[in-house]
């Protein structure tokens, strides 16, 4: 059974991965796949949207004889990530209070 995940969660995960280091699309996909199912074809529109929204910057760098596009979180992206983290904490607490009500831990 899988829980429904929305675009906001995917945005938060991508911003979190890029906040750790400048990185490229395939590596972001692998990191996100650690917690949810995602394809590269799903990720690239997210990256473009986050760029358009001012949360990410992209630059090309040579790697193994060709260019690789890297993504870097911006100051706006860090603010957005912090908002997502706060909202997640609140959401998690509300879900936990219902899901585990009356259950001993």
């Amino acid at each position: 059974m899988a829980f429904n995940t929305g675009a906001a969660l995917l945005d938060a995960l991508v911003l979190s991965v890029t906040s750790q280091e400048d990185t490229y699309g395939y590596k972001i996909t692998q990191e996100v796949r650690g917690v949810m199912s995602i394809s590269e074809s799903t990720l690239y529109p997210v990256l473009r949207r986050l760029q358009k929204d001012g949360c990410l910057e992209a630059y090309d760098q040579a790697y193994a004889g060709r260019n690789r596009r890297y993504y870097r979180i911006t100051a706006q992206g860090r603010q957005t990530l912090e908002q997502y983290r706060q909202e997640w904490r609140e959401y998690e607490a509300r879900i936990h209070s219902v899901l585990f009500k009356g259950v001993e831990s």
Side-chain angles (χ1 to χ4, degrees):
M1 179 174 151
F3 293 98
N4 188 15
T5 54
L9 180 57
L10 183 53
D11 287 0
L13 292 172
V14 168
L15 290 172
S16 183
V17 169
T18 57
S19 74
Q20 298 163 31
E21 65 179 334
D22 291 6
T23 190
Y24 52 96
Y26 179 77
K27 190 171 178 186
I28 296 169
T29 302
Q30 297 308 307
E31 290 278 332
V32 172
R33 278 185 183 158
V35 294
M36 67 186 290
S37 179
I38 183 176
S39 67
E40 287 180 62
S41 62
T42 300
L43 177 70
Y44 285 101
V46 171
L47 291 170
R48 283 192 296 275
R49 182 172 36 75
L50 288 171
Q51 277 183 270
K52 183 180 175 226
D53 293 346
C55 294
L56 292 178
E57 297 174 337
Y59 62 93
D60 293 335
Q61 186 171 325
Y63 177 82
R66 60 187 183 94
N67 279 338
R68 177 183 278 172
R69 177 148 295 175
Y70 285 82
Y71 297 90
R72 170 186 305 138
I73 194 168
T74 64
Q76 174 63 43
R78 288 189 188 283
Q79 285 181 326
T80 300
L81 176 57
E82 284 309 310
Q83 288 173 331
Y84 280 135
R85 286 176 171 162
Q86 182 59 38
E87 289 173 17
W88 178 260
R89 286 181 194 105
E90 293 167 7
Y91 177 76
E92 179 184 36
R94 288 192 313 266
I95 294 296
H96 191 272
S97 72
V98 173
L99 196 58
F100 294 98
K101 186 175 185 174
V103 176
E104 292 184 36
S105 26

